[in-house]
Amino acid sequence: MNSIPAYPSLLSREESIAMKGLLIFLVVLGHNSLVMAKTGWFPYLYSFHVYCFYIFPFVYGADVVALKKMGLWQRVWNNVKKFYPLYFFWCLISCGVAVATHRIVWNGLGFSYAVLWGNQPLLLQYCGFGFLWFLPTIVAVMFWRDVYFFAPKIGKWCMFFLSAVLWIFSAVGWTNFHAAGIYCPLALMQGLFFCTSGILVRTVLSSLPVSKGTKIAASPFFILGFSFVYFRRYLPASCVWLTWIIVPMIAFFAFYQWKEVWIKSRLLKFLGKYSLQIYLLHIFIFYGILQAIPQRGILVAILSLLLTLMLCVAAIVVINKTKFIRKIIFP
């Protein structure tokens, strides 16, 4: 037990919050179908924006010293208590909105199946909105992260091998993390898929400290990643899954190199501090805006994005100032 390395966080708390602020802004932008339709940014943002969040557990909060004191299963239980009540509550909200707006027909058995499995296509089918797959998947990623850091060397290699196999199967079109997720509850298969990205990114960042050279290299490296997104149209269909493997690592590496820029932004730090609340609110706010606007021009698209962010911020300020409401909406 004492031979287990400490695996300290590679980001400070402030740096982590600022980077999450940048990513949650890109998530809100990517989920705005009006802006995506008018700009053509959809394949680029969807190649990394949410998936970068699954790299965070391996870079920030990976404190094995604390884990050893707490114990693996206590850490797992703490994460379950923190995220799953929130997840169940918002699944009910999602399903209620979807049934009320005739997006879906209520199916109790299907709802239970989708929520327990945490699979995006299932949640879309039975809860009306698929974005809540993020919550069980991030819990699963943190579980596998703790298992990886806690395991002996042979255990680490076995886990990396299993995650890499999922990568390879996706790259050749045999499966993908959504399809594999229907065979395993609690999003455990989905979480395992993203572990390879986290392990590789942490390994690179640990051995390659931020320097003037890495900062200069970050921009062309980032462009190279997006070039892959552009040219994948000429490659087999399975390459879309390869994109979601490669591009998040490239994007996270580039964002990490410029972390001292993000930390200077008060806006990004605010968005990052409340990134989970923004994630849960923005879909429903934008959905309401979408029902209310008759026109779909580029100006309207930009205004809808700004209005979504403003209403998210306003709602968060009100909710967090009222303890009773906060406990109901964010249990």
Side-chain angles (χ1 to χ4, degrees), residues 319 321-330:
I319 291 168
K321 282 188 174 181
T322 311
K323 188 175 181 180
F324 175 74
I325 297 176
R326 186 175 71 248
K327 284 188 175 182
I328 294 176
I329 298 179
F330 300 115

Side-chain angles (χ1 to χ4, degrees), residues 125-254:
Q125 181 179 354
Y126 294 110
C127 294
F129 297 89
F131 74 102
L132 289 171
W133 76 288
F134 172 81
L135 287 173
T137 304
I138 196 67
V139 173
V141 170
M142 289 190 290
F143 166 73
W144 290 117
R145 183 270 315 270
D146 291 341
V147 169
Y148 177 82
F149 287 150
F150 207 79
K153 190 172 183 179
I154 184 65
K156 288 178 171 62
W157 278 108
C158 288
M159 183 179 145
F160 181 79
F161 173 77
L162 291 174
S163 182
V165 165
L166 287 177
W167 264 29
I168 295 167
F169 282 8
S170 297
V172 298
W174 290 353
T175 188
N176 58 67
F177 61 87
H178 286 322
I182 66 174
Y183 301 109
C184 188
L186 305 178
L188 287 172
M189 192 73 76
Q190 296 168 180
L192 182 61
F193 177 93
F194 291 107
C195 287
T196 305
S197 302
I199 293 168
L200 291 178
V201 169
R202 182 180 178 90
T203 301
V204 171
L205 295 180
S206 298
S207 58
L208 193 66
V210 175
S211 66
K212 188 175 181 179
T214 58
K215 288 180 180 179
I216 293 172
S219 297
F221 201 46
F222 193 62
I223 294 170
L224 178 65
F226 282 123
S227 298
F228 182 80
V229 177
Y230 177 80
F231 287 109
R232 79 182 181 197
R233 67 185 70 183
Y234 304 109
L235 300 173
S238 62
C239 283
V240 67
W241 301 104
L242 196 58
T243 302
W244 294 342
I245 292 168
I246 294 173
V247 178
M249 293 193 297
I250 292 175
F252 195 97
F253 173 82

Side-chain angles (χ1 to χ4, degrees), residues 17-326:
I17 288 173
M19 281 185 63
K20 286 177 182 177
L22 173 65
L23 288 173
I24 197 63
F25 171 76
L26 295 175
V27 167
V28 175
L29 176 61
H31 285 164
N32 188 304
S33 56
L34 298 182
V35 175
M36 293 301 98
K38 296 298 180 182
T39 61
W41 294 346
F42 177 86
Y44 300 98
L45 285 174
Y46 266 71
S47 67
F48 73 91
H49 66 347
V50 170
Y51 310 124
C52 277
F53 275 102
Y54 300 133
I55 296 174
F56 261 104
F58 286 87
V59 177
Y60 177 75
D63 186 352
V64 176
V65 173
L67 173 60
K68 286 163 61 178
K69 293 179 180 178
M70 183 184 301
L72 175 63
W73 296 111
Q74 184 61 47
R75 173 80 75 94
V76 171
W77 178 239
N78 287 349
N79 287 333
V80 168
K81 287 192 298 182
K82 178 179 178 180
F83 287 100
Y84 265 84
L86 190 68
Y87 170 57
F88 290 143
F89 175 80
W90 282 91
C91 281
L92 287 170
I93 295 293
S94 174
C95 191
V97 170
V99 170
T101 55
H102 307 292
R103 285 171 63 96
I104 62 169
V105 176
W106 168 252
N107 182 325
L109 185 61
F111 174 83
S112 301
Y113 175 41
V115 172
L116 183 59
W117 257 246
N119 178 261
Q120 197 258 9
L122 291 175
L123 288 167
L124 182 62
Q125 181 179 354
Y126 294 110
C127 294
F129 297 89
F131 74 102
L132 289 171
W133 76 288
F134 172 81
L135 287 173
T137 304
I138 196 67
V139 173
V141 170
M142 289 190 290
F143 166 73
W144 290 117
R145 183 270 315 270
D146 291 341
V147 169
Y148 177 82
F149 287 150
F150 207 79
K153 190 172 183 179
I154 184 65
K156 288 178 171 62
W157 278 108
C158 288
M159 183 179 145
F160 181 79
F161 173 77
L162 291 174
S163 182
V165 165
L166 287 177
W167 264 29
I168 295 167
F169 282 8
S170 297
V172 298
W174 290 353
T175 188
N176 58 67
F177 61 87
H178 286 322
I182 66 174
Y183 301 109
C184 188
L186 305 178
L188 287 172
M189 192 73 76
Q190 296 168 180
L192 182 61
F193 177 93
F194 291 107
C195 287
T196 305
S197 302
I199 293 168
L200 291 178
V201 169
R202 182 180 178 90
T203 301
V204 171
L205 295 180
S206 298
S207 58
L208 193 66
V210 175
S211 66
K212 188 175 181 179
T214 58
K215 288 180 180 179
I216 293 172
S219 297
F221 201 46
F222 193 62
I223 294 170
L224 178 65
F226 282 123
S227 298
F228 182 80
V229 177
Y230 177 80
F231 287 109
R232 79 182 181 197
R233 67 185 70 183
Y234 304 109
L235 300 173
S238 62
C239 283
V240 67
W241 301 104
L242 196 58
T243 302
W244 294 342
I245 292 168
I246 294 173
V247 178
M249 293 193 297
I250 292 175
F252 195 97
F253 173 82
F255 293 151
Y256 181 88
Q257 299 306 312
W258 293 96
K259 58 185 179 180
E260 63 187 37
V261 175
W262 319 128
I263 201 173
K264 294 176 182 177
S265 170
R266 294 177 63 183
L267 175 60
L268 290 183
K269 286 192 284 188
F270 177 88
L271 295 178
K273 182 178 179 181
Y274 298 105
S275 56
L276 182 56
Q277 296 182 11
I278 292 171
Y279 186 83
L280 294 171
L281 289 169
H282 81 279
I283 288 288
F284 300 110
I285 289 174
F286 175 67
Y287 184 65
I289 293 172
L290 200 61
Q291 307 309 306
I293 54 177
Q295 298 180 352
R296 303 296 166 91
I298 183 62
L299 181 59
V300 172
I302 295 172
L303 288 174
S304 72
L305 172 65
L306 295 175
L307 186 58
T308 300
L309 286 169
M310 289 169 61
L311 290 176
C312 278
V313 170
I316 286 168
V317 170
V318 171
I319 291 168
N320 285 281
K321 282 188 174 181
T322 311
K323 188 175 181 180
F324 175 74
I325 297 176
R326 186 175 71 248

